[in-house]
Amino acid sequence: MAENKNQKLKKYNKNLNYSYTFGAFPTIELIKAKPDAVLKVLISTSFVDNPAYLKLSEDCGRLNVEIQVNDKLVNRLSPKDNCYVVGVFEKYVLTLSENESHVVLVNPSNMGNLGTIIRTILGFGINNMAIISPGVDIYDPKVIRASMGAIFNIDFQYFNSFEDYLNCFKHHNIFTFMLDGQCSLQDFDRYDSSLYSLVFGNEASGLESVFQSYGKSIRISHSEKIDSLNLPISIGIALYQFSKNKF
Amino acid sequence: MAENKNQKLKKYNKNLNYSYTFGAFPTIELIKAKPDAVLKVLISTSFVDNPAYLKLSEDCGRLNVEIQVNDKLVNRLSPKDNCYVVGVFEKYVLTLSENESHVVLVNPSNMGNLGTIIRTILGFGINNMAIISPGVDIYDPKVIRASMGAIFNIDFQYFNSFEDYLNCFKHHNIFTFMLDGQCSLQDFDRYDSSLYSLVFGNEASGLESVFQSYGKSIRISHSEKIDSLNLPISIGIALYQFSKNKF
């Protein structure tokens, strides 16, 4: 993807084999965590005077990544007017570890939520996430932005079905989070050390009742005054409880 | 606000003495929880065939609230194309209870977050919320929408300063949530029964260090891989822990 091929950089869509970070902070995270994936960094003229420019140019220099000043291209690619830095990177394929606990999202549909979830699980020491298809495109710049760059510090993998996931990870204890889960999270004490997979459904529809039969089903008990907690908050609470002995 | 004065219904701004619910679900919540505040309900022609119409028209009939079919007005007032129901209601003034625990938000700035927070605290049995000015306008339809109507089931009150709040509620135990809080939430056991105020800062800047000196400061311990948890998730986790003995 040489400089003279800039014309070919397209506005993001999920079929591209590259994606973008918009803004200095996620771009710095990208360069730090996934240096081999970086293709180039584009900046606006006005960013050269920004204090973060020095840090960015040092990082790029060390890794031999090209920084290109190109206002027109930054404006064309980025969704908002106030974006001055664009990282261009090649999508990469990861596989989850058998020796780590996982969060499993079944059919997540909201990009902002997914980014927030990534940041939250990383905060509680989980860096393996499975997505059961169909689900939102994790490489969409909206997800990356909402994750504040945390996406570059987790491993993620898509599976065609929950059964496919289970076949790969037979030794994980499965906990499915459901409104009618059989035991209440509030009754859990500090959780022991075995590997676990915490499974959450779609924002609107949750997990189908068949998920009652995988492992143990859990509800986060709440008042009847609301229908449900929102998905990122449910995941934050679940991870808080499951990681209590680590923090 | 009679029918012939519809021309005067303006697009929402915070200086109006009325506001709107957009969508059938929050409008039904409004009518159920704050019937005296409802001025009228506007619907689009296409909504008459919707199953929710029957429920809405029954509720309105019982309370003698006018339902008006007016596509043009619905379109003019609502922010999105797919809104078919608008509730119009008069803003009301509430005061917090001395006999209830509170959540206190210092200078909240994000409307979507505020709505999510309202829904979450209600889910954990808190229905008193203080906002320390300056803070986002709780009556903005974006807040109401994000709360999914939960706003109509809580009491809220604005205060000019945190000192003003403290002067009104001298018997609440104050817990301030800060990145450098002195004790870790994870070390709390089920909390006792005394009244408490959980205090949270602005999304971007948190609480100033002076808040270390009010009551007890708490951190939600997390890995160093993220700078902070987001505000609604922090509040969800704090309330989960503080309300554990109730659920």
Side-chain angles (χ1 to χ4, degrees):
Chain A
M1 209 174 281
E3 191 171 354
N4 60 5
K5 291 187 180 170
N6 268 341
Q7 297 82 336
K8 294 196 175 177
L9 283 179
K10 294 181 181 170
K11 268 190 118 74
Y12 183 77
N13 76 69
K14 70 176 180 182
N15 296 319
L16 295 175
N17 63 356
Y18 54 89
S19 182
Y20 304 108
T21 52
F22 295 125
F25 187 80
T27 303
I28 288 169
E29 284 295 304
L30 162 69
I31 293 167
K32 193 165 67 182
K34 290 283 180 285
D36 295 343
V38 185
L39 297 170
K40 65 166 61 182
V41 173
L42 308 167
I43 65 169
S44 303
T45 315
S46 61
F47 186 69
V48 176
D49 297 328
N50 189 300
Y53 176 66
L54 189 62
K55 162 83 175 134
L56 189 70
S57 62
E58 279 175 8
D59 289 351
C60 287
R62 200 169 50 245
L63 296 164
N64 209 20
V65 166
E66 177 198 359
I67 299 193
Q68 188 189 344
V69 182
N70 189 330
D71 294 303
K72 208 170 149 190
L73 191 54
V74 168
N75 284 337
R76 181 165 66 76
L77 296 176
S78 65
K80 291 187 180 178
D81 288 344
N82 60 349
C83 175
Y84 308 113
V85 181
V86 178
V88 189
F89 69 96
E90 203 160 24
K91 294 179 182 177
Y92 44 86
V93 174
L94 302 165
T95 51
L96 304 190
S97 165
E98 283 189 49
N99 304 313
E100 301 270 355
S101 290
H102 304 163
V103 162
V104 182
L105 303 182
V106 180
N107 313 140
S109 62
N110 182 297
M111 295 192 191
N113 278 352
L114 182 57
T116 303
I117 290 164
I118 290 169
R119 179 178 158 209
T120 304
I121 70 172
L122 189 63
F124 287 117
I126 298 284
N127 52 22
N128 274 238
M129 186 173 76
I131 297 178
I132 310 301
S133 297
V136 76
D137 172 21
I138 197 169
Y139 277 121
D140 192 290
K142 292 191 196 81
V143 177
I144 295 170
R145 195 179 188 104
S147 86
M148 298 172 105
I151 185 175
F152 302 117
N153 292 298
I154 69 158
D155 293 343
F156 51 83
Q157 188 175 351
Y158 281 80
F159 295 86
N160 287 326
S161 69
F162 189 64
E163 287 69 25
D164 282 1
Y165 168 81
L166 284 180
N167 284 334
C168 294
F169 301 102
K170 296 185 176 173
H171 303 297
H172 280 61
N173 283 315
I174 305 293
F175 296 92
T176 56
F177 285 77
M178 312 179 68
L179 290 180
D180 53 355
Q182 288 175 332
C183 75
S184 171
L185 186 69
Q186 276 92 341
D187 293 333
F188 266 59
D189 270 324
R190 293 195 177 212
Y191 191 69
D192 70 42
S193 59
S194 54
L195 290 173
Y196 54 78
S197 303
L198 308 186
V199 186
F200 299 87
N202 170 270
E203 286 88 343
S205 53
L207 291 175
E208 292 173 35
S209 57
V210 64
F211 281 84
Q212 290 279 9
S213 59
Y214 301 111
K216 183 174 264 188
S217 66
I218 299 184
R219 67 182 185 280
I220 303 174
S221 300
H222 58 72
S223 81
E224 288 174 1
K225 292 195 175 171
I226 64 167
D227 289 335
S228 65
L229 295 163
N230 91 354
L231 181 63
I233 289 179
S234 298
I235 293 177
I237 290 171
L239 281 174
Y240 165 80
Q241 180 66 56
F242 270 74
S243 70
K244 249 184 151 179
N245 56 349
K246 287 201 283 185
F247 290 99
Chain B
M1 210 172 282
E3 191 171 353
N4 60 5
K5 290 187 183 171
N6 268 340
Q7 296 84 334
K8 295 196 175 176
L9 282 179
K10 294 181 181 171
K11 268 189 117 82
Y12 183 76
N13 76 70
K14 69 176 179 180
N15 296 319
L16 295 175
N17 64 355
Y18 54 89
S19 182
Y20 304 108
T21 52
F22 295 125
F25 188 80
T27 303
I28 288 168
E29 284 296 305
L30 162 68
I31 294 168
K32 193 165 66 182
K34 290 285 180 282
D36 294 344
V38 186
L39 297 169
K40 65 167 59 183
V41 173
L42 309 167
I43 65 169
S44 303
T45 315
S46 61
F47 186 69
V48 175
D49 297 328
N50 189 300
Y53 176 66
L54 189 62
K55 161 86 174 132
L56 188 70
S57 62
E58 279 175 7
D59 289 351
C60 287
R62 200 169 50 244
L63 296 164
N64 210 19
V65 167
E66 178 198 359
I67 299 191
Q68 188 188 345
V69 181
N70 189 331
D71 294 309
K72 209 171 149 188
L73 190 55
V74 167
N75 284 338
R76 181 164 67 77
L77 297 176
S78 64
K80 290 188 181 178
D81 287 343
N82 61 351
C83 175
Y84 308 114
V85 180
V86 178
V88 189
F89 69 95
E90 204 160 22
K91 293 179 181 176
Y92 44 87
V93 174
L94 301 165
T95 52
L96 303 190
S97 164
E98 283 190 47
N99 303 313
E100 301 270 355
S101 291
H102 304 162
V103 162
V104 182
L105 303 182
V106 180
N107 312 140
S109 62
N110 182 296
M111 295 193 191
N113 278 352
L114 182 57
T116 303
I117 290 165
I118 291 169
R119 181 177 156 208
T120 304
I121 69 172
L122 188 63
F124 287 118
I126 298 284
N127 52 23
N128 274 237
M129 186 173 77
I131 297 179
I132 310 302
S133 298
V136 75
D137 172 21
I138 197 169
Y139 277 121
D140 193 289
K142 293 192 194 81
V143 177
I144 295 170
R145 196 182 187 100
S147 87
M148 299 174 102
I151 185 177
F152 301 117
N153 292 298
I154 69 158
D155 292 344
F156 50 83
Q157 187 175 352
Y158 282 80
F159 295 85
N160 287 326
S161 69
F162 189 63
E163 286 69 24
D164 282 1
Y165 169 81
L166 284 180
N167 285 334
C168 294
F169 301 101
K170 296 185 175 172
H171 302 298
H172 280 62
N173 284 314
I174 305 292
F175 295 92
T176 56
F177 284 79
M178 311 179 69
L179 290 180
D180 53 355
Q182 290 176 329
C183 75
S184 171
L185 186 68
Q186 276 93 339
D187 293 332
F188 266 59
D189 271 325
R190 294 194 174 212
Y191 190 69
D192 70 41
S193 59
S194 54
L195 290 174
Y196 54 79
S197 304
L198 308 185
V199 185
F200 299 87
N202 171 270
E203 286 89 343
S205 54
L207 290 176
E208 291 173 36
S209 57
V210 65
F211 280 85
Q212 290 278 11
S213 59
Y214 301 112
K216 182 173 265 188
S217 66
I218 300 184
R219 67 181 185 280
I220 303 174
S221 301
H222 57 72
S223 81
E224 288 174 2
K225 293 197 175 170
I226 63 167
D227 290 334
S228 65
L229 295 164
N230 91 353
L231 181 63
I233 288 179
S234 298
I235 294 178
I237 290 170
L239 281 175
Y240 165 79
Q241 180 66 57
F242 270 73
S243 69
K244 249 186 152 180
N245 55 350
K246 289 201 283 184
F247 290 100

